Amino acid sequence: MIRIAVANQKGGVGKTTTAINLATALAATGMKVLLIDLDPQGNASTGLGVPHEQREYSSYELLTGACTLDQAVVPTRVPRLDLIPATVDLSGAEIELIDIEHRTHRLEDALNESADGRWGVCLIDCPPSLGLLTINALVASRSIIVPLQAEFFALEGLSQLLKTVERVRAGFNPQLSILGVALTMYDRRNNLSAQVSDDVRAVLGKVVFDTVIPRNVRLSEAPSHGLPALIYDHRCPGSEAYMALARELIERLPKEAVAA
Ligand code: ATP
Ligand code: MG
């Protein structure tokens, strides 16, 4: 199972929207996908229609060792897509984990304990911070996808994220790499979006996905129906863009991960 963190410490840049819809798009291609909601806001869980009653065990219990992976996994309405939900309890984890042994490796340990053949790919939706939750995601992952909002300050804060990736790579996880940067909320009618896209590509180069995710109201409506946009309206521009992004992502994955 290849594990990919969806991370950017900036809030509201499209991490959760990307995690949900990429996970759905990958599942639609036949892959078995696990999505881990590692954000106390629980947006990925709500957006996939998993009600609070079904979050008996969550990523919090998984990190603190109070449950196994099997106990925490819930199915979603999307075939081949399973979820480990999050609850607000997770907001305490940043503090509580400080005293726990091996605190940066809790997620990795929990994932390593499970039978590996069940899912081909695992996406981890990170919170908007570079705290212990995001560190756990980066330590547990092979690579990272960075959603970047196509707006004036897009690159601001990115150096902090890259420094954190470098620290995790040097300290714990030498194989960690950036799989791709995805431009989100791109507005075709706005020159600024095009300008930002050019700037980001000039600075970051090939790591930026060719596919850009347009600003599309269907993407923001879908979570209130508890559905990925790809199911809510699979023909809207946002859904089509996430399908294209998934195809690009698959090309960047090691072949054995795609076959799983
Ligand atoms: P947080 O940092 O709070 O976890 P996030 O990075 O996960 O936020 P999202 O929750 O995915 O960001 O998106 C922020 C808001 O923007 C949400 O209301 C979402 O529905 C909306 N949104 C995300 N992507 C798009 C898009 N391409 N077009 C229109 N709205 C979008
Ligand atoms: Mg989010």
Side-chain angles (χ1 to χ4, degrees), residues 51 62 86 91 108-109 113 172 178 194 199 215 233 236 246-247:
L62 189 68
S91 58
E108 185 184 34
D109 292 348
E113 272 168 33
F172 318 107
I178 299 194
D199 291 352
R215 187 173 278 285
D233 180 355
C236 72
R247 284 192 292 271

Side-chain angles (χ1 to χ4, degrees), residues 3 13 34 38 46-47 59 62 83 95 105 143 164 183 210 216 226 228 230 240 242 248:
R3 303 169 195 160
V13 297
L34 176 65
L38 209 61
T46 308
S59 50
L62 189 68
L83 172 78
I95 307 283
H105 289 65
S143 53
T164 304
L183 283 164
D210 291 337
N216 179 204
L230 269 150
E240 286 181 351
Y242 275 113
E248 236 188 286

